[in-house]
Amino acid sequence: MLGAEQEIVANQIESGQVRIVFWPMLDHGNASLNAHAAADCIGRQSADAFWQVHDHFFRNQRDLWQAQRDYFVATAIDMGVDQFEFQACYDSGLGHATVTELDSIRRGLGIFNRPSFDINGQLLIGDQPYDVFVRYFEAASQ
Amino acid sequence: MRRIALIIILALVLVACGPKDEPLPTVTIQEQPTNTMAPETIVAETIAEEPIDNPTPTEPPPTFPPTASPEASKTSLPVITPTEAVVTEVAESSPSETSEFNGQYENTFFRGSSNAPITLIDYSDFL
């Protein structure tokens, strides 16, 4: 999600009303797996860096199809995390194993549509405008 | 001449009678094919059993749809939230600690305050 997310961040996240939990869906083979693993390895050093790379990857989706290890290492450096710590995580397969497990849990929950959102237990499927999220937030807060 | 002719006839009769004894070995030869056929039918039976076993490995996919119902996800997901709420309550009880903004929870990353009353789980792929 990126479309409505910036508005949600500005209005609901900053005010402390909502928090967003990102759950990886590995729907495009190794390209998905490597990108999410890289994000996970960056996030292990800094949650703020995770959200930076999260936004960066969504804005540069085309790069990810052909992205190799060097691309992710360069991205990790750009995000301000330690290069060698990132490489150790990425090369060990720790990030890959973590996101694979999360994806497996997601499948077990029966969530197959991309994107899908869970708002305090209410499932919302597909890309939605900001207004729809606001309605769900209001329903969840009552 | 008649004697010679009789001798020749007798010889022919003896020759003619000789081959009549040979069918006995041919009977045993005919039995051999029946013996070799028996193992073939056994093999055929074992081959026929294999396709019956094959459908079972392909059965798991049909078992997914029942577990893949949206209701299952709705019931399972709130389980995460209560456990997080417990952590939040503990954090609130200690005045020195403040809520975490942008953090990690059970291998996932959250954006916002750990005390936020509404949790939006975003299932997405970067690609």
Side-chain angles (χ1 to χ4, degrees):
Chain A
M1 179 175 66
L2 199 60
E5 187 161 358
Q6 300 310 310
E7 286 180 278
I8 295 171
V9 169
N11 299 314
Q12 279 79 25
I13 301 289
E14 296 293 341
S15 66
Q17 183 191 357
V18 175
R19 66 174 165 175
I20 296 175
V21 174
F22 184 76
W23 203 291
M25 293 183 85
L26 309 182
D27 278 358
H28 295 99
N30 284 336
S32 293
L33 176 62
N34 292 333
H36 285 283
D40 179 81
C41 287
I42 290 169
R44 286 170 186 272
Q45 295 189 49
S46 162
D48 289 339
F50 172 84
W51 289 104
Q52 283 180 45
V53 77
H54 163 276
D55 295 350
H56 174 79
F57 280 168
F58 271 119
R59 290 195 188 98
N60 299 279
Q61 285 177 321
R62 288 183 182 179
D63 294 345
L64 301 178
W65 290 100
Q66 303 298 327
Q68 300 295 321
R69 180 181 178 276
D70 290 347
Y71 174 89
F72 296 122
V73 171
T75 303
I77 294 167
D78 288 345
M79 297 301 127
V81 299
D82 183 80
Q83 175 187 347
F84 299 104
E85 197 175 329
F86 169 81
Q87 287 172 335
C89 173
Y90 189 84
D91 294 342
S92 70
L94 181 60
H96 293 78
T98 301
V99 297
T100 299
E101 185 184 357
L102 288 172
D103 188 59
S104 176
I105 292 169
R106 182 265 303 177
R107 290 172 188 274
L109 293 172
I111 295 169
F112 296 102
N113 294 291
R114 178 170 48 86
S116 291
F117 306 98
D118 180 282
I119 302 167
N120 277 15
Q122 292 297 312
L123 202 60
L124 182 59
I125 293 171
D127 246 335
Q128 302 291 339
Y130 173 68
D131 294 347
V132 173
F133 283 103
V134 170
R135 269 188 270 140
Y136 272 75
F137 295 150
E138 288 172 353
S141 60
Q142 287 174 358
Chain B
M1 286 296 288
R2 285 183 180 176
R3 285 182 181 177
I4 293 167
L6 281 171
I7 289 166
I8 291 167
I9 289 166
L10 282 170
L12 288 171
V13 168
L14 285 172
V15 168
C17 291
K20 286 180 181 176
D21 296 335
E22 288 178 0
L24 288 172
T26 57
V27 171
T28 55
I29 290 166
Q30 285 175 351
E31 286 174 357
Q32 286 175 352
T34 55
N35 289 336
T36 55
M37 285 296 287
E40 286 177 4
T41 55
I42 292 166
V43 171
E45 284 172 4
T46 56
I47 290 168
E49 286 173 1
E50 286 175 1
I52 298 167
D53 295 337
N54 285 336
T56 47
T58 57
E59 282 175 6
T63 61
F64 277 109
T67 58
S69 64
E71 290 177 1
S73 64
K74 287 178 183 175
T75 54
S76 301
L77 291 170
V79 175
I80 298 170
T81 310
T83 54
E84 290 173 339
V86 170
V87 174
T88 303
E89 285 171 11
V90 172
E92 284 174 352
S93 63
S94 55
S96 61
E97 291 182 18
T98 57
S99 62
E100 188 181 8
F101 196 88
N102 290 359
Q104 191 173 7
Y105 179 76
E106 292 187 355
N107 292 330
T108 63
F109 295 93
F110 65 85
R111 176 179 245 169
S113 170
S114 58
N115 288 337
I118 297 172
T119 300
L120 164 61
I121 303 174
D122 174 14
Y123 298 94
S124 294
D125 193 345
F126 289 139
L127 287 96

